[in-house]
Structure formats: structure tokens, C-alpha cells
């Protein structure tokens, strides 16, 4: 059987991420790091795993605010007003880290995954209109669960897009 993965991908842009992480959870892993293929670490990933001892979630903190990075459908889904969105930083979806021993990591992950399953990540068309799929939903899930955005400064990497 040959799957049409392009069509599936376009129905839920980057929707595979929470499902891949769920596979790691299902295999018994408690600390899970997602690195996009474009991430080229220049230091040991142990820095990320060690950081999860003190922070339940790791994510790259963006510069833009969520009022500019997500659509109204996502704001409504997460119960966030446009005014609130102005105070929420976007996140970079190239690196996510979870310590599933911490209840807040579980809470954020479950909300993020449910948003994907409910179609909130959006399509290619939504992305082209300014909705940043998994990243938008992750930032909003962090906000709704009252989890601070954090990324360890000592983890250094190159991004393939910048080479």
C-alpha cells in the first residue's frame, strides 16, 4: 500500500510531530527531544536532556507575538483574545523538549496533540495566510497551561537554512 503522505501533510501542517513524540512516549521514554532535520547541533544534546531536570518543556523563544503568528480559529480554540495574543511570544518549532515526569509537560503536550487532532494546526493555505501551524499551537498551549517558554542558552546549533 502506498500512502499519499503529501496530501496528509497538507491537511495538518507539521501534524506528524506530536504523533512521533507520542510514539516515543508509548515506548516508555520520559524525556523526549524533537530536533527538526535542519538542526545541526554543535554541542552535545546532553545539554537539552539535563535542562529537562529543571524545566518541564524546552522550546526556542521567538521574537514575534502570537497576534501576528496565528489565525482566529486557533485563538478561539485556545480561548485566547487578540489582546492576550499580543503578550504571547511565538516559538520556534525546530526544537521541542519534554520531561514527561512533570505533569505540566503532559498537560501541554496533550493540549497540543489534541489541537492537531482537531485540525487547528491548519493547512498549507492557513500557513500561507500567516498561521504558523505546530508552532502557533505550541505557544498557545504553553500559555493556556501557564508554562514559561524556556530554552538553554548553552545549547548551540547551526540551522541548515542558514548555511
Amino acid at each position: 500500500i502506498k500512502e499519499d503522505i503529501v496530501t496528509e501533510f497538507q491537511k495538518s501542517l507539521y501534524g506528524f510531530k506530536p504523533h512521533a513524540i507520542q510514539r516515543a512516549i508509548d515506548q516508555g521514554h520520559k524525556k523526549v527531544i524533537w530536533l527538526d532535520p535542519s538542526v545541526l547541533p554543535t554541542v552535545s544534546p546532553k545539554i537539552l536532556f539535563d535542562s529537562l531536570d529543571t524545566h518541564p518543556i524546552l522550546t526556542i523563544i521567538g521574537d514575534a507575538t502570537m497576534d501576528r503568528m496565528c489565525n482566529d480559529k486557533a485563538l478561539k480554540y485556545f480561548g485566547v483574545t487578540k489582546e492576550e495574543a499580543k503578550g504571547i511570544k511565538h516559538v520556534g518549532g525546530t526544537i521541542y523538549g519534554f520531561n514527561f515526569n512533570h505533569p505540566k509537560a503532559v498537560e501541554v503536550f496533550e493540549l497540543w496533540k489534541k489541537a492537531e487532532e482537531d485540525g487547528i494546526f491548519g493547512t498549507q493555505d492557513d500557513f500561507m495566510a500567516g498561521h504558523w501551524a505546530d508552532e502557533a499551537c505550541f505557544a498557545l498551549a504553553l500559555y493556556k497551561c501557564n508554562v514559561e517558554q524556556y530554552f538553554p542558552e548553552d545549547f548551540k546549533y547551526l540551522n541548515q537554512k542558514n548555511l
Side-chain angles (χ1 to χ4, degrees), residues 1-162:
I1 298 174
K2 188 174 183 180
E3 294 181 60
D4 181 3
I5 60 171
V6 172
T7 300
E8 288 304 310
F9 178 76
Q10 290 177 340
K11 285 181 191 172
S12 179
L13 213 53
Y14 302 101
F16 57 85
K17 289 181 183 183
H19 298 285
I21 293 167
Q22 183 64 57
R23 289 253 345 238
I25 296 166
D26 293 346
Q27 292 174 359
H29 299 283
K30 294 297 184 185
K31 288 184 177 179
V32 179
I33 304 292
W34 171 274
L35 298 177
D36 272 4
S38 63
V39 174
L40 307 168
T42 59
V43 296
S44 172
K46 184 177 183 317
I47 293 167
L48 297 175
F49 285 101
D50 289 348
S51 293
L52 287 170
D53 289 336
T54 54
H55 296 86
I57 293 179
L58 310 176
T59 187
I60 297 170
I61 303 165
D63 295 326
T65 55
M66 289 307 301
D67 60 308
R68 297 177 32 226
M69 303 301 285
C70 71
N71 60 24
D72 290 341
K73 180 179 177 181
L75 291 176
K76 183 177 179 181
Y77 181 87
F78 285 95
V80 174
T81 66
K82 279 273 195 195
E83 197 58 36
E84 283 177 290
K86 291 178 182 177
I88 304 168
K89 290 286 190 181
H90 180 255
V91 303
T94 53
I95 302 173
Y96 295 122
F98 300 88
N99 180 347
F100 290 109
N101 291 310
H102 196 290
K104 282 294 184 179
V106 174
E107 183 182 359
V108 169
F109 177 76
E110 290 298 329
L111 181 56
W112 183 54
K113 186 175 84 170
K114 177 119 176 58
E116 188 286 320
E117 293 168 346
D118 290 344
I120 307 303
F121 278 27
T123 65
Q124 181 71 32
D125 290 339
D126 294 322
F127 182 77
M128 297 307 289
H131 176 69
W132 282 72
D134 65 303
E135 297 173 358
C137 291
F138 198 77
L140 293 172
L142 287 168
Y143 175 76
K144 288 306 287 186
C145 296
N146 199 28
V147 175
E148 177 186 5
Q149 294 181 6
Y150 172 78
F151 193 77
E153 291 180 15
D154 49 346
F155 182 76
K156 306 294 183 199
Y157 66 97
L158 300 174
N159 191 314
Q160 183 181 5
K161 294 180 259 187
N162 299 329

